[in-house]
């Protein structure tokens, strides 16, 4: 069974490629135009075919309903524009005048005129009532590919194969302005006015959407993210969202004000030539050459209001909590640091100044300053309140890989990929000590909690160095690993240091004597992560194979081995009380574990990107942990515990989740909507829900015996249109350690 995205509705499957779709003004009908020249009209209440308009003998490029919904206009490869009476399914006018294929048609806001754009490079304006030609707009030097009326009807915008957008006066036919740019590469495939009429959006062959100021003709913003030619776009009813569709087989939803991508909708398997919003703005329809029209409820998984934008445009390198707990900072290889409000998910500040990838960040103990280091060989200090860069520390000659504050906040230490460690005065920026050593490609720098020592290691060197924080003098060289040391961690009492080795071992060191107390053996792959429990009685470690182990620090024994990840463990964090850990992996999952029982309490599988960094904070009433991913996204999850049930809820973050179910049975399920019954059956679900069995007079299986049969996917499905349906939760919640996701609050349930 293939993936089901949140908000996805059943798709319409046709026998021919679908080139266009259009909602009626009342939203009760959806028309679709096919490659064979037919137009089909479906009822949106039950998605049944109600009418078929036959007349074109070749593919139809575009259809659109009249403002009153009684008529429909179509333009096609048979070089005709046709007007249809929807009720009678009859063609009332055939408009002839173009010499080549017609790509696009548009109704005027009053419904008295029709505009058409053709491969003959001409835009024509027709009288809707009589079918007579009114205007012939000439100016494009390439195909006229698209056309749109302004909301007040005084202008027409057209896009061309010459890479320009032209604005025309509707009364005189005079070209008022030509919108172009030296950086536009390729055809302008579609144009659309904002509902307010002050902006015009265009999409082109260079995989960009451009927003233009209609009054001045200047380009206000360029939206990038698609990986193929953008073929069509549409504004939402309020104008706050733009939907674009591409040859990369995706639909993207953009914030028209900020230009950020809010959602990516996947599912099509070929070029998407049309995307439209329903009149009330609740749904999107997209038409593709894969012979389907896909439907999305943008109040749910495709929602643009519920989830924040991705924010970063490249890998998240580190995540940190503000000591006071109300803010999260993320750094990225896109060269920026972003500060997020924990409660709302809003980006408070974007700290911009580095000219290379930002590799690490650290809050000062007071939380008023954040330090960052970068590939640009600098360390910067930023004011958390204003976002201003207070100081720039220069001196490193290589990429700076790690930066950390001392517990008192008076020192800052950074290490670069040439093995040089610099200790800075955090107030003055003076470099107090420079420490040289054979630690190329610095991996980890940590202060002891009491602030007297610091340790650093490299993933390519088998030696750990302990240094005195005041003098910078070397206290110990810890040698014993047979390979690099990717991670190190001090115990809460500062008396022990744990190290993760690429020799498949974890070692515990006495920091006073430099002796190795325990060698913890059991991992089958290189150990990449190690972390101490808050109570110091445990350490957790994760390896390249996906295994997580809990060790007793007093005996050196392995307490638990957690299996489930199928890729390298990249991050492990303990809850503040030490009762649970969260592990993140390159397998694109996050898992919550109980450290006492060894049970996997939750598996989060809606992230769709390898995990880069995580952090955990707590407030008096709720526990939060934050996840940073390689796709640049940041997500905040809340851990809640009820008797007999564990829940993890997505508080905020970009939702790009899908539900994947194998061999799913909906036999006897209560509360499944008709729409989602159809959706799940399209994806391979077997059986009949309760309401169908009752209608047929068949025996209904009791809810106690209805369990979704899930095989190895560790994922379960919940009715996407009814995510809080208690009967659905009861049915799927009986499968142990299975992920059930509700989009409205993104709540995940697991039976304990």
């Amino acid at each position: 069974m293939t993936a089901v995205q949140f908000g996805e509705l059943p798709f319409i499957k046709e026998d021919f490629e679908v080139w266009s779709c259009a909602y009626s003004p009342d939203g009760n009908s959806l028309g679709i135009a096919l490659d064979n020249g037919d137009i089909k009209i479906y009822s949106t209440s039950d998605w049944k075919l109600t009418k078929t308009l036959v007349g074109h003998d070749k593919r139809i490029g575009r259809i659109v309903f009249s403002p009153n919904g009684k008529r429909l206009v179509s333009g096609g490869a048979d070089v005709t524009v046709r007007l249809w009476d929807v009720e009678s399914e009859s063609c009332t006018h055939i408009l002839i005048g173009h010499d080549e294929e017609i790509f696009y048609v548009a109704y005027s806001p009053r419904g008295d005129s029709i505009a058409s754009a053709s491969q003959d490079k001409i835009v024509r304006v027709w009288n809707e009532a009589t079918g007579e030609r009114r205007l012939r707009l000439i100016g494009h030097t390439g195909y006229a590919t698209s056309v749109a009326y302004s909301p007040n009807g005084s202008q027409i915008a057209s896009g061309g194969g010459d890479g320009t957008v032209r604005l025309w006066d509707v009364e005189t036919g005079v070209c008022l302005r030509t919108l172009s740019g030296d950086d536009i590469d390729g055809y302008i495939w579609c144009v659309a006015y904002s509902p307010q009429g002050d902006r015009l959006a265009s999409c082109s062959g260079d995989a960009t959407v451009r927003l233009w100021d209609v009054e001045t003709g200047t380009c206000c913003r360029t939206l990038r993210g698609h990986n193929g030619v953008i073929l069509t776009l549409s504004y939402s009813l309020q104008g706050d969202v733009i939907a674009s569709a591409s040859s990369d087989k995706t639909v993207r939803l953009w914030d028209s004000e900020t230009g950020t991508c809010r959602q990516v909708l996947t599912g099509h398997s070929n070029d998407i030539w049309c995307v439209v919003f329903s009149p009330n703005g609740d749904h999107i329809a997209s038409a593709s050459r894969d012979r389907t029209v896909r439907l999305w409820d943008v109040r749910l998984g495709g929602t643009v209001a519920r989830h924040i934008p991705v924010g970063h445009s490249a890998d998240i390198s580190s995540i940190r909590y503000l000591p006071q707990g109300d803010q999260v900072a993320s750094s990225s290889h896109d060269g920026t640091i972003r500060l997020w409000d924990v409660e709302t998910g809003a980006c408070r500040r974007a700290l911009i100044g580095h000219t290379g990838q930002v590799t690490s960040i650290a809050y000062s103990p007071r939380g008023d300053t954040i330090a960052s280091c970068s590939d640009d060989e600098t360390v910067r200090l930023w004011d958390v309140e204003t976002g201003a860069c207070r100081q720039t520390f220069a001196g490193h000659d290589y990429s700076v890989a790690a930066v950390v504050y001392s517990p008192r906040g008076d020192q800052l230490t950074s290490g670069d990929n040439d093995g040089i460690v610099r200790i800075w005065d955090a107030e003055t920026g003076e470099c107090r000590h420079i420490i040289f050593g054979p630690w190329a490609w610095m991996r980890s720098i940590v202060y002891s909690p009491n602030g007297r020592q610091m340790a650093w290691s490299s993933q390519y060197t088998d030696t750990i160095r302990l240094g005195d924080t005041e003098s910078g003098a070397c206290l110990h060289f810890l040698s014993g690993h047979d390979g690099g040391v990717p991670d190190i961690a001090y115990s809460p009492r500062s008396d022990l240091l744990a190290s993760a080795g690429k020799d498949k071992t974890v070692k515990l060191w006495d920091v006073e004597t430099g002796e190795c107390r325990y060698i913890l053996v059991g991992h089958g792959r290189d150990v990449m992560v190690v972390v101490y429990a808050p109570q110091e009685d445990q350490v957790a470690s994760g390896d390249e194979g996906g295994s997580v182990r809990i060790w007793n620090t007093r005996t050196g024994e392995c307490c638990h081995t957690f299996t489930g990840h199928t890729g390298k463990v990249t991050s492990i964090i303990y809850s503040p009380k030490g009762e649970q850990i969260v592990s993140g992996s390159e397998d694109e999952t996050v898992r919550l574990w109980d450290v006492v029982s060894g049970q996997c309490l939750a598996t989060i599988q809606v992230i769709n990107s390898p995990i880069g960094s995580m952090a955990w904070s707590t407030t008096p009433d709720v526990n939060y942990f934050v996840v940073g991913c390689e796709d640049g996204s940041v997500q905040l999850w809340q851990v809640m515990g009820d008797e007999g049930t564990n829940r993890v809820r997505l508080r905020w973050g970009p939702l790009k989740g899908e539900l994947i179910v194998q061999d799913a049975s909906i036999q006897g399920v209560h509360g499944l909507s008709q729409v989602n019954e159809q959706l799940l059956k399209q994806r391979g679900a077997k059986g009949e829900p309760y309401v169908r069995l009752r209608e047929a007079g068949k025996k209904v299986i009791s809810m106690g015996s209805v369990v979704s049969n899930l095989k190895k996917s560790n994922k379960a499905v919940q009715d996407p249109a009814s995510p809080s349906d208690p009967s659905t939760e009861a049915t799927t919640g009986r499968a142990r350690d299975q992920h059930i996701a509700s989009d409205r609050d993104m709540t995940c349930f697991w039976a304990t």
Side-chain angles (χ1 to χ4, degrees), residues 64-68 70-74 83-84 105-115 128 147-150:
V64 63
F65 280 91
S66 63
N68 63 15
K70 296 180 179 180
R71 309 251 272 186
L72 182 143
V73 63
S74 58
L83 287 176
W84 305 85
V105 291
Y107 253 105
S108 66
R110 291 187 300 180
D112 58 345
S113 297
I114 293 166
E128 198 268 356
V147 65
Y149 276 91
S150 63

mmCIF file of all heavy atoms in Angstrom, residues 64-68 70-74 83-84 105-115 128 147-150:
data_model
loop_
_atom_site.group_PDB
_atom_site.id
_atom_site.type_symbol
_atom_site.label_atom_id
_atom_site.label_comp_id
_atom_site.label_asym_id
_atom_site.label_seq_id
_atom_site.Cartn_x
_atom_site.Cartn_y
_atom_site.Cartn_z
ATOM 1 N N VAL A 64 -12.397 26.565 -17.969
ATOM 2 C CA VAL A 64 -12.754 27.431 -16.853
ATOM 3 C C VAL A 64 -14.258 27.682 -16.890
ATOM 4 O O VAL A 64 -14.850 27.806 -17.967
ATOM 5 C CB VAL A 64 -11.956 28.759 -16.885
ATOM 6 C CG1 VAL A 64 -12.271 29.565 -18.128
ATOM 7 C CG2 VAL A 64 -12.192 29.583 -15.629
ATOM 8 N N PHE A 65 -14.869 27.725 -15.714
ATOM 9 C CA PHE A 65 -16.298 28.030 -15.610
ATOM 10 C C PHE A 65 -16.520 29.537 -15.704
ATOM 11 O O PHE A 65 -15.652 30.338 -15.313
ATOM 12 C CB PHE A 65 -16.863 27.527 -14.281
ATOM 13 C CG PHE A 65 -17.163 26.061 -14.248
ATOM 14 C CD1 PHE A 65 -16.207 25.150 -13.827
ATOM 15 C CD2 PHE A 65 -18.411 25.587 -14.636
ATOM 16 C CE1 PHE A 65 -16.480 23.792 -13.780
ATOM 17 C CE2 PHE A 65 -18.698 24.228 -14.602
ATOM 18 C CZ PHE A 65 -17.733 23.323 -14.178
ATOM 19 N N SER A 66 -17.694 29.922 -16.180
ATOM 20 C CA SER A 66 -18.087 31.332 -16.168
ATOM 21 C C SER A 66 -18.345 31.760 -14.734
ATOM 22 O O SER A 66 -18.576 30.914 -13.853
ATOM 23 C CB SER A 66 -19.344 31.540 -17.007
ATOM 24 O OG SER A 66 -20.443 30.826 -16.444
ATOM 25 N N PRO A 67 -18.326 33.076 -14.454
ATOM 26 C CA PRO A 67 -18.544 33.535 -13.071
ATOM 27 C C PRO A 67 -19.870 33.071 -12.467
ATOM 28 O O PRO A 67 -19.960 32.881 -11.252
ATOM 29 C CB PRO A 67 -18.486 35.059 -13.199
ATOM 30 C CG PRO A 67 -17.593 35.296 -14.372
ATOM 31 C CD PRO A 67 -17.913 34.188 -15.332
ATOM 32 N N ASN A 68 -20.906 32.888 -13.295
ATOM 33 C CA ASN A 68 -22.181 32.420 -12.749
ATOM 34 C C ASN A 68 -22.303 30.892 -12.764
ATOM 35 O O ASN A 68 -23.298 30.332 -12.290
ATOM 36 C CB ASN A 68 -23.364 33.042 -13.488
ATOM 37 C CG ASN A 68 -23.410 32.660 -14.961
ATOM 38 O OD1 ASN A 68 -22.744 31.717 -15.406
ATOM 39 N ND2 ASN A 68 -24.189 33.405 -15.732
ATOM 40 N N LYS A 70 -22.881 28.836 -15.135
ATOM 41 C CA LYS A 70 -23.783 28.227 -16.111
ATOM 42 C C LYS A 70 -23.069 27.816 -17.393
ATOM 43 O O LYS A 70 -23.550 26.958 -18.128
ATOM 44 C CB LYS A 70 -24.922 29.192 -16.440
ATOM 45 C CG LYS A 70 -25.819 29.496 -15.248
ATOM 46 C CD LYS A 70 -26.934 30.459 -15.636
ATOM 47 C CE LYS A 70 -27.848 30.738 -14.445
ATOM 48 N NZ LYS A 70 -28.943 31.681 -14.799
ATOM 49 N N ARG A 71 -21.943 28.450 -17.662
ATOM 50 C CA ARG A 71 -21.222 28.172 -18.904
ATOM 51 C C ARG A 71 -19.798 27.709 -18.564
ATOM 52 O O ARG A 71 -19.299 27.884 -17.454
ATOM 53 C CB ARG A 71 -21.172 29.421 -19.774
ATOM 54 C CG ARG A 71 -22.522 30.066 -19.984
ATOM 55 C CD ARG A 71 -23.011 29.903 -21.377
ATOM 56 N NE ARG A 71 -22.547 30.975 -22.240
ATOM 57 C CZ ARG A 71 -22.926 31.132 -23.502
ATOM 58 N NH1 ARG A 71 -23.757 30.256 -24.051
ATOM 59 N NH2 ARG A 71 -22.487 32.124 -24.233
ATOM 60 N N LEU A 72 -19.170 27.149 -19.562
ATOM 61 C CA LEU A 72 -17.789 26.706 -19.432
ATOM 62 C C LEU A 72 -17.098 26.958 -20.756
ATOM 63 O O LEU A 72 -17.698 26.771 -21.825
ATOM 64 C CB LEU A 72 -17.738 25.230 -19.062
ATOM 65 C CG LEU A 72 -16.358 24.588 -18.846
ATOM 66 C CD1 LEU A 72 -16.422 23.567 -17.710
ATOM 67 C CD2 LEU A 72 -15.852 23.906 -20.100
ATOM 68 N N VAL A 73 -15.851 27.430 -20.711
ATOM 69 C CA VAL A 73 -15.082 27.669 -21.926
ATOM 70 C C VAL A 73 -13.886 26.732 -21.947
ATOM 71 O O VAL A 73 -13.301 26.423 -20.903
ATOM 72 C CB VAL A 73 -14.624 29.144 -22.039
ATOM 73 C CG1 VAL A 73 -13.677 29.515 -20.906
ATOM 74 C CG2 VAL A 73 -13.964 29.416 -23.388
ATOM 75 N N SER A 74 -13.531 26.261 -23.128
ATOM 76 C CA SER A 74 -12.396 25.347 -23.286
ATOM 77 C C SER A 74 -11.602 25.736 -24.524
ATOM 78 O O SER A 74 -12.145 26.259 -25.501
ATOM 79 C CB SER A 74 -12.886 23.901 -23.417
ATOM 80 O OG SER A 74 -13.783 23.776 -24.521
ATOM 81 N N LEU A 83 -17.548 27.292 -26.305
ATOM 82 C CA LEU A 83 -18.404 27.695 -25.201
ATOM 83 C C LEU A 83 -19.476 26.634 -25.002
ATOM 84 O O LEU A 83 -20.114 26.192 -25.976
ATOM 85 C CB LEU A 83 -19.059 29.046 -25.488
ATOM 86 C CG LEU A 83 -18.158 30.284 -25.410
ATOM 87 C CD1 LEU A 83 -18.933 31.520 -25.806
ATOM 88 C CD2 LEU A 83 -17.614 30.457 -24.014
ATOM 89 N N TRP A 84 -19.683 26.255 -23.731
ATOM 90 C CA TRP A 84 -20.600 25.161 -23.421
ATOM 91 C C TRP A 84 -21.676 25.630 -22.450
ATOM 92 O O TRP A 84 -21.395 26.389 -21.523
ATOM 93 C CB TRP A 84 -19.846 23.997 -22.773
ATOM 94 C CG TRP A 84 -18.688 23.480 -23.553
ATOM 95 C CD1 TRP A 84 -17.413 23.957 -23.555
ATOM 96 C CD2 TRP A 84 -18.702 22.373 -24.466
ATOM 97 N NE1 TRP A 84 -16.611 23.220 -24.392
ATOM 98 C CE2 TRP A 84 -17.381 22.237 -24.972
ATOM 99 C CE3 TRP A 84 -19.677 21.475 -24.895
ATOM 100 C CZ2 TRP A 84 -17.024 21.256 -25.884
ATOM 101 C CZ3 TRP A 84 -19.330 20.491 -25.797
ATOM 102 C CH2 TRP A 84 -18.011 20.386 -26.291
ATOM 103 N N VAL A 105 -7.277 29.574 -21.678
ATOM 104 C CA VAL A 105 -8.460 30.430 -21.807
ATOM 105 C C VAL A 105 -8.788 31.008 -20.440
ATOM 106 O O VAL A 105 -8.426 30.435 -19.402
ATOM 107 C CB VAL A 105 -9.675 29.649 -22.354
ATOM 108 C CG1 VAL A 105 -9.468 29.266 -23.801
ATOM 109 C CG2 VAL A 105 -9.976 28.434 -21.496
ATOM 110 N N ALA A 106 -9.478 32.159 -20.425
ATOM 111 C CA ALA A 106 -9.852 32.810 -19.168
ATOM 112 C C ALA A 106 -11.143 33.589 -19.367
ATOM 113 O O ALA A 106 -11.353 34.200 -20.429
ATOM 114 C CB ALA A 106 -8.742 33.741 -18.686
ATOM 115 N N TYR A 107 -11.980 33.575 -18.349
ATOM 116 C CA TYR A 107 -13.194 34.391 -18.333
ATOM 117 C C TYR A 107 -12.894 35.723 -17.660
ATOM 118 O O TYR A 107 -12.133 35.786 -16.684
ATOM 119 C CB TYR A 107 -14.302 33.689 -17.542
ATOM 120 C CG TYR A 107 -15.422 33.124 -18.377
ATOM 121 C CD1 TYR A 107 -15.530 31.763 -18.599
ATOM 122 C CD2 TYR A 107 -16.392 33.963 -18.927
ATOM 123 C CE1 TYR A 107 -16.570 31.223 -19.346
ATOM 124 C CE2 TYR A 107 -17.435 33.447 -19.683
ATOM 125 C CZ TYR A 107 -17.521 32.076 -19.893
ATOM 126 O OH TYR A 107 -18.548 31.566 -20.643
ATOM 127 N N SER A 108 -13.530 36.795 -18.158
ATOM 128 C CA SER A 108 -13.456 38.078 -17.473
ATOM 129 C C SER A 108 -14.278 38.006 -16.198
ATOM 130 O O SER A 108 -15.207 37.183 -16.090
ATOM 131 C CB SER A 108 -13.983 39.193 -18.372
ATOM 132 O OG SER A 108 -15.372 39.024 -18.618
ATOM 133 N N PRO A 109 -13.996 38.851 -15.197
ATOM 134 C CA PRO A 109 -14.732 38.790 -13.928
ATOM 135 C C PRO A 109 -16.236 38.984 -14.085
ATOM 136 O O PRO A 109 -17.021 38.408 -13.327
ATOM 137 C CB PRO A 109 -14.108 39.922 -13.108
ATOM 138 C CG PRO A 109 -12.736 40.084 -13.666
ATOM 139 C CD PRO A 109 -12.863 39.799 -15.128
ATOM 140 N N ARG A 110 -16.661 39.792 -15.069
ATOM 141 C CA ARG A 110 -18.095 40.011 -15.286
ATOM 142 C C ARG A 110 -18.717 38.939 -16.173
ATOM 143 O O ARG A 110 -19.940 38.874 -16.317
ATOM 144 C CB ARG A 110 -18.333 41.384 -15.904
ATOM 145 C CG ARG A 110 -18.036 42.534 -14.948
ATOM 146 C CD ARG A 110 -18.447 43.846 -15.548
ATOM 147 N NE ARG A 110 -17.734 44.114 -16.798
ATOM 148 C CZ ARG A 110 -17.909 45.210 -17.533
ATOM 149 N NH1 ARG A 110 -18.792 46.132 -17.160
ATOM 150 N NH2 ARG A 110 -17.222 45.394 -18.641
ATOM 151 N N GLY A 111 -17.885 38.137 -16.805
ATOM 152 C CA GLY A 111 -18.381 37.060 -17.637
ATOM 153 C C GLY A 111 -18.788 37.471 -19.029
ATOM 154 O O GLY A 111 -19.377 36.670 -19.765
ATOM 155 N N ASP A 112 -18.471 38.699 -19.442
ATOM 156 C CA ASP A 112 -18.884 39.169 -20.767
ATOM 157 C C ASP A 112 -17.819 38.962 -21.830
ATOM 158 O O ASP A 112 -18.090 39.144 -23.022
ATOM 159 C CB ASP A 112 -19.274 40.645 -20.709
ATOM 160 C CG ASP A 112 -18.142 41.534 -20.195
ATOM 161 O OD1 ASP A 112 -17.170 41.004 -19.614
ATOM 162 O OD2 ASP A 112 -18.239 42.763 -20.368
ATOM 163 N N SER A 113 -16.601 38.598 -21.419
ATOM 164 C CA SER A 113 -15.511 38.415 -22.377
ATOM 165 C C SER A 113 -14.723 37.161 -22.046
ATOM 166 O O SER A 113 -14.713 36.691 -20.898
ATOM 167 C CB SER A 113 -14.566 39.621 -22.380
ATOM 168 O OG SER A 113 -15.223 40.789 -22.803
ATOM 169 N N ILE A 114 -14.054 36.655 -23.081
ATOM 170 C CA ILE A 114 -13.175 35.492 -22.938
ATOM 171 C C ILE A 114 -11.844 35.836 -23.592
ATOM 172 O O ILE A 114 -11.815 36.449 -24.672
ATOM 173 C CB ILE A 114 -13.783 34.255 -23.616
ATOM 174 C CG1 ILE A 114 -15.041 33.799 -22.872
ATOM 175 C CG2 ILE A 114 -12.779 33.107 -23.678
ATOM 176 C CD1 ILE A 114 -15.869 32.813 -23.647
ATOM 177 N N ALA A 115 -10.752 35.454 -22.951
ATOM 178 C CA ALA A 115 -9.418 35.632 -23.530
ATOM 179 C C ALA A 115 -8.813 34.262 -23.787
ATOM 180 O O ALA A 115 -9.041 33.313 -23.027
ATOM 181 C CB ALA A 115 -8.523 36.441 -22.604
ATOM 182 N N GLU A 128 -18.358 37.136 -25.178
ATOM 183 C CA GLU A 128 -18.872 35.870 -24.661
ATOM 184 C C GLU A 128 -20.258 35.558 -25.194
ATOM 185 O O GLU A 128 -20.590 34.394 -25.466
ATOM 186 C CB GLU A 128 -18.896 35.912 -23.124
ATOM 187 C CG GLU A 128 -19.001 34.540 -22.457
ATOM 188 C CD GLU A 128 -20.449 34.155 -22.182
ATOM 189 O OE1 GLU A 128 -21.350 34.985 -22.434
ATOM 190 O OE2 GLU A 128 -20.674 33.019 -21.719
ATOM 191 N N VAL A 147 -2.917 33.200 -19.984
ATOM 192 C CA VAL A 147 -3.624 34.478 -19.954
ATOM 193 C C VAL A 147 -4.470 34.539 -18.691
ATOM 194 O O VAL A 147 -4.955 33.512 -18.195
ATOM 195 C CB VAL A 147 -4.501 34.654 -21.213
ATOM 196 C CG1 VAL A 147 -5.612 33.613 -21.257
ATOM 197 C CG2 VAL A 147 -5.058 36.047 -21.314
ATOM 198 N N ALA A 148 -4.624 35.742 -18.114
ATOM 199 C CA ALA A 148 -5.427 35.933 -16.906
ATOM 200 C C ALA A 148 -5.983 37.347 -16.880
ATOM 201 O O ALA A 148 -5.311 38.300 -17.311
ATOM 202 C CB ALA A 148 -4.582 35.685 -15.658
ATOM 203 N N TYR A 149 -7.201 37.488 -16.389
ATOM 204 C CA TYR A 149 -7.808 38.798 -16.171
ATOM 205 C C TYR A 149 -7.467 39.293 -14.769
ATOM 206 O O TYR A 149 -7.402 38.498 -13.811
ATOM 207 C CB TYR A 149 -9.327 38.719 -16.293
ATOM 208 C CG TYR A 149 -9.856 38.804 -17.704
ATOM 209 C CD1 TYR A 149 -10.058 37.653 -18.458
ATOM 210 C CD2 TYR A 149 -10.177 40.033 -18.279
ATOM 211 C CE1 TYR A 149 -10.564 37.714 -19.751
ATOM 212 C CE2 TYR A 149 -10.683 40.109 -19.576
ATOM 213 C CZ TYR A 149 -10.873 38.953 -20.303
ATOM 214 O OH TYR A 149 -11.362 39.022 -21.580
ATOM 215 N N SER A 150 -7.276 40.614 -14.633
ATOM 216 C CA SER A 150 -7.139 41.207 -13.313
ATOM 217 C C SER A 150 -8.486 41.136 -12.601
ATOM 218 O O SER A 150 -9.539 41.047 -13.247
ATOM 219 C CB SER A 150 -6.675 42.661 -13.422
ATOM 220 O OG SER A 150 -7.642 43.447 -14.110
#
